[in-house]
Amino acid sequence: MRLILKSIFSHLSVNMPLLIEIVAVTIIGWIVIEPVAVKTSVASLPAGYDHERLVLVHLSSMGKDAEGYDTASISTADAYRRLLDMLRQRDGVETATYVGYQSFESDTKATSYLDADSSFRKDGEELGTGVIITMYVPESDFFSTFGIQGADGKPFDEPRYAEHSYIVTKTLAEMMFPGGNPIGKNLYPYDESDEDDRPSPIVGVIDDVIYNKGDDRAPIAFRALGPEGALGFAVRLKEGVSARDFTDRLTADLSKYRSGNFYLTHPELYSDMREEIFSEGRRELLKGWLMVLFFMVNVLFGVAGTFYVQTRRRISDAGVMRAFGATRRRVEGGIVGEACVITIVAWGIGCLLYLCYLHFSGDSGTEPAQYIIRVLRPMWHDTASVRNTVITGILLLVLLELAVAGSWLPARKVGRVNPIDALRDE
């Protein structure tokens, strides 16, 4: 280490620009990597339902002026039920259910603000959070079709429907009734003396699910919807059935799926819908990762360029070292060690400067999730100290890898010099 430090100071005029460059890259890396890492982590959250085996089939209807319109048609609910049965009987289908206008991987989203139990109260923190309201048709195999598990991690046994009832995710249940049984209790405040008020009993609790890919950990409440309110059907395929082949075959047979004045239109894979709904978020992540790559390349070439500039001067030094018994590996290790020491010092300065900026500016970095979500479903980026530690660690590892890669080639060239030739040139 003493020889490495001595060599660094002896080449200080060349090493100082590299030090300043890595300090700047560390600060910029903080600004770029932190949001990218957080967004990538959120986008990687498990959906909570089996989207790989699901196909959405859209519904449409004939207008009264359309050719073939049936004036004596069956009711909407009966037509929908018949189409659902036809899909369930199709080869390769395990089960199917109705899908409402507020469902997974949809642009349509309804939210309701609910307060958490007072036991979670903390000064300076907002107690409640937004809850996503999702539609389902009771007793239509909705939860089994989507592969949603119960709060205990086992297949969810859907309870019998009760008027104005809700099925909630376990985060929402724990938020409102910590440590207790939420079944039978009201989701919304209920005043029996108010004739216009109505109860909202919770009849079931499921495992946490994500409404749209890229959404954070918002709790969800499922509200009952009549069959006539459906906009399509979700089809769960049997194990081993190719979802894409199934949609191609179903598309070719769509003309067979008509009931009354209603018929099926284009099928979509839920996996494709997830990617589509996340397309804007993916573009933002791609831009972030490209910026990260840009600064990584800067560091790589900065380190390589700095040590290549010193190569001619270092060849004579290496010749002397080799003449006195130093091995090639020791010479190469010394140069790589110099690059690592400079990188660590620059990383430390850059991180310190940026953390001081965050402290004195009052900026906490990435916007954290709401307080109750951080309590009930914590992630590494929820706490500033943990997030800062992780990001600094990522930065250090990346910078060290680049320092080693950038200094190894010039180090290899210097280390392989012939001692006799080096001393003759000197």
Side-chain angles (χ1 to χ4, degrees):
M1 179 58 72
R2 183 163 53 86
L3 291 176
I4 289 175
L5 294 176
K6 183 178 180 181
S7 179
I8 290 173
F9 284 108
S10 65
H11 303 96
L12 194 59
S13 61
V14 182
N15 289 332
M16 186 56 68
L18 175 62
L19 180 75
I20 295 172
E21 179 186 353
I22 297 179
V23 169
V25 168
T26 300
I27 295 173
I28 297 172
W30 251 101
I31 298 171
V32 173
I33 290 178
E34 183 191 16
V36 169
V38 172
K39 290 178 182 178
T40 301
S41 181
V42 170
S44 302
L45 287 170
Y49 70 94
D50 197 1
H51 58 87
E52 296 292 345
R53 294 169 57 188
L54 286 174
V55 176
L56 174 65
V57 187
H58 295 270
L59 264 170
S60 190
S61 61
M62 301 177 65
K64 292 183 178 180
D65 297 332
E67 183 179 352
Y69 180 80
D70 185 2
T71 56
S73 175
I74 59 177
S75 68
T76 299
D78 288 339
Y80 284 9
R81 193 174 298 111
R82 187 175 298 174
L83 287 170
L84 178 60
D85 289 338
M86 292 170 68
L87 283 173
R88 286 173 171 172
Q89 293 167 14
R90 186 175 178 86
D91 185 45
V93 174
E94 182 175 300
T95 185
T97 189
Y98 300 97
V99 173
Y101 56 90
Q102 293 167 357
S103 190
F104 298 113
E105 316 309 333
S106 169
D107 291 328
T108 305
K109 183 186 293 184
T111 58
S112 180
Y113 188 89
L114 290 173
D115 282 326
D117 185 79
S118 59
S119 62
F120 291 108
R121 188 172 299 282
K122 181 180 179 182
D123 291 342
E125 297 286 358
E126 189 175 2
L127 191 59
T129 187
V131 176
I132 297 175
I133 307 299
T134 304
M135 301 296 187
Y136 81 103
V137 176
E139 301 175 12
S140 68
D141 299 328
F142 178 89
F143 297 95
S144 59
T145 298
F146 277 88
I148 296 174
Q149 305 293 310
D152 57 1
K154 299 178 181 179
F156 181 63
D157 185 14
E158 183 182 334
R160 292 183 62 85
Y161 169 68
E163 189 176 13
H164 308 310
S165 64
Y166 288 85
I167 292 173
V168 302
T169 55
K170 65 180 182 182
T171 294
L172 180 53
E174 183 63 22
M175 176 185 107
M176 301 195 67
F177 310 102
N181 183 6
I183 303 301
K185 298 179 180 178
N186 289 302
L187 181 64
Y188 296 99
Y190 172 55
D191 183 2
E192 294 184 3
S193 63
D194 187 350
E195 294 181 357
D196 295 329
D197 206 356
R198 64 186 185 186
S200 53
I202 296 173
V203 296
V205 181
I206 60 169
D207 201 1
D208 288 315
V209 289
I210 301 296
Y211 189 80
N212 285 336
K213 183 175 181 180
D215 284 355
D216 211 342
R217 298 145 282 168
I220 298 178
F222 292 80
R223 185 170 62 195
L225 173 76
E228 63 279 358
L231 294 182
F233 303 103
V235 176
R236 180 182 179 85
L237 304 179
K238 294 179 179 178
E239 286 280 2
V241 175
S242 169
R244 206 161 295 279
D245 289 346
F246 176 86
T247 56
D248 290 342
R249 293 193 301 269
L250 180 59
T251 301
D253 295 338
L254 282 178
S255 59
K256 301 176 183 178
Y257 290 86
R258 176 180 171 180
S259 179
N261 293 315
F262 299 92
Y263 57 94
L264 301 183
T265 62
H266 59 288
E268 287 185 275
L269 302 182
Y270 266 87
S271 54
D272 288 349
M273 292 166 59
R274 280 173 57 79
E275 297 308 313
E276 177 64 25
I277 206 74
F278 188 60
S279 58
E280 183 63 30
R282 186 184 302 103
R283 283 192 288 270
E284 291 297 319
L285 277 180
L286 180 60
K287 286 191 290 186
W289 283 117
L290 287 175
M291 291 182 67
V292 171
L293 180 62
F294 172 75
F295 292 113
M296 288 171 62
V297 170
N298 275 349
V299 174
L300 179 63
F301 283 109
V303 172
T306 297
F307 284 95
Y308 263 117
V309 167
Q310 303 176 26
T311 298
R312 184 173 182 82
R313 184 188 304 177
R314 285 175 178 271
I315 285 177
S316 59
D317 295 340
V320 174
M321 293 177 65
R322 294 290 304 276
F324 280 92
T327 63
R328 177 171 61 86
R329 288 185 178 277
R330 183 174 180 181
V331 173
E332 293 176 5
I335 295 175
V336 173
E338 287 181 41
C340 291
V341 169
I342 293 171
T343 299
I344 291 172
V345 172
W347 163 82
I349 295 172
C351 288
L352 181 62
L353 290 175
Y354 187 72
L355 290 174
C356 287
Y357 160 76
L358 290 180
H359 176 73
F360 291 108
S361 68
D363 187 356
S364 60
T366 303
E367 185 70 23
Q370 290 182 292
Y371 164 69
I372 192 64
I373 299 299
R374 301 198 305 269
V375 171
L376 296 177
R377 294 187 66 186
M379 291 186 68
W380 66 269
H381 52 80
D382 286 337
T383 306
S385 58
V386 176
R387 183 173 66 249
N388 293 343
T389 301
V390 171
I391 299 300
T392 53
I394 291 173
L395 272 171
L396 179 59
L397 290 176
V398 170
L399 291 174
L400 283 177
E401 288 177 359
L402 294 172
V404 171
S407 60
W408 180 73
L409 286 176
R412 191 166 176 264
K413 182 177 180 180
V414 172
R416 293 192 172 186
V417 66
N418 187 316
I420 297 176
D421 294 337
L423 291 174
R424 184 188 299 118
D425 294 338
E426 183 66 16

